[in-house]
Amino acid sequence: SLENALRSTYSSEEWYVLSESAIDEDRIPSAIGRSQAYLQNLLAEEDEDYCAESMDSGTFVLSHLTREIDEESEQDIVELVLRYKERAYGIVVGIDVDQDHIDQAEILSRASVAALKNLELFETVLESEKLAVLGRVAAGVTHEMRNPLAFILANIRMLETELDNEHVLAARDVRVGAERLENILQDLSSFSRGGTRIPLNNMDLTE
């Protein structure tokens, strides 16, 4: 979107916007005349001009801006690293760029970085909401299963006292399985409340 905006606004100039993944995968247009290693180093560099002030937000700095003259083609080349603090999203490269357009291109780039940052925040909130929904589902499932499981455990424990021989062993296996289900439901219940279940053990306080 940023590339389209720059190209439509300054149709006489060449603009390319490369994401971090495009650079890592070496999907770099030959017209840029920049190697993968060069662009990766540009992304990794810390901006020497980084400071706490900027023209529009107090903490946001776009970072690296260079203006070079290509000796062979006599092209004016602009490089803008799309950066928010330590996070680099990509690089904007402009060829044959008018000096008067650099500031406007930087404003568009700033807006794009802000949009990317907002998207990351939205995805974080969305993930948190998914976990909250999962917790509510877990609480509902736990509640619905624990009641019938309590009846099963009560009856099977009673049967253990009345049966004999191999029937007692079969009833004991059923009880052990039901108790394992009970432990799983207790863990789900703890998860739905946002905590972990603490195992309880009998302790002799006189020792």
Side-chain angles (χ1 to χ4, degrees):
S1 296
L2 175 58
E3 185 175 280
N4 290 336
L6 289 168
R7 288 187 174 188
S8 61
T9 304
Y10 312 115
S11 57
S12 62
E13 303 167 356
E14 291 184 60
W15 289 96
Y16 300 90
V17 179
L18 301 175
S19 66
E20 184 181 24
S21 60
I23 294 172
D24 289 340
E25 296 168 9
D26 201 14
R27 293 185 282 109
I28 303 169
S30 57
I32 291 178
R34 295 289 189 266
S35 68
Q36 180 188 32
Y38 173 87
L39 295 175
Q40 286 177 329
N41 288 335
L42 199 61
L43 277 179
E45 284 180 2
E46 293 185 4
D47 185 15
E48 295 178 356
D49 297 327
Y50 185 87
C51 61
E53 298 180 357
S54 66
M55 66 179 181
D56 60 358
S57 70
T59 57
F60 179 87
V61 176
L62 182 62
S63 187
H64 202 94
L65 167 63
T66 62
R67 183 163 177 78
E68 303 177 356
I69 301 298
D70 190 310
E71 296 293 340
E72 296 182 1
S73 61
E74 297 183 353
Q75 291 178 318
D76 292 345
I77 299 178
V78 172
E79 296 166 347
L80 291 163
V81 176
L82 301 174
R83 186 188 303 277
Y84 183 87
K85 297 185 178 179
E86 294 82 12
R87 174 76 166 93
Y89 295 93
I91 298 175
V92 178
V93 178
I95 302 174
D96 287 332
V97 177
D98 189 295
Q99 178 70 44
D100 296 335
H101 297 165
I102 293 178
D103 289 342
Q104 299 171 40
E106 187 171 348
I107 291 173
L108 285 174
S109 298
R110 288 175 182 271
S112 297
V113 172
L116 289 169
K117 185 62 180 176
N118 288 338
L119 179 61
E120 287 183 347
L121 292 174
F122 174 77
E123 289 175 344
T124 300
V125 171
L126 186 62
E127 190 64 29
S128 299
E129 180 62 23
K130 286 180 180 178
L131 289 175
V133 171
L134 182 59
R136 291 194 291 271
V137 171
V141 171
T142 300
H143 176 74
E144 293 298 325
M145 292 184 65
R146 290 181 78 169
N147 289 333
L149 184 59
F151 295 129
I152 294 173
L153 279 169
N155 289 320
I156 202 65
R157 285 166 181 159
M158 181 185 67
L159 284 174
E160 275 190 286
T161 62
E162 298 183 0
L163 296 175
D164 55 12
N165 301 327
E166 68 274 7
H167 297 101
V168 173
L169 296 177
R172 186 175 304 159
D173 289 341
V174 173
R175 175 179 56 79
V176 170
E179 287 175 345
R180 288 182 61 188
L181 287 175
E182 185 180 39
N183 289 332
I184 292 171
L185 291 177
Q186 287 177 343
D187 289 337
L188 278 175
S189 179
S190 297
F191 169 76
S192 67
R193 293 193 301 268
T196 56
R197 184 167 62 89
I198 300 175
L200 302 178
N201 296 311
N202 293 325
M203 301 293 294
D204 188 348
L205 298 180
T206 62
E207 294 182 357

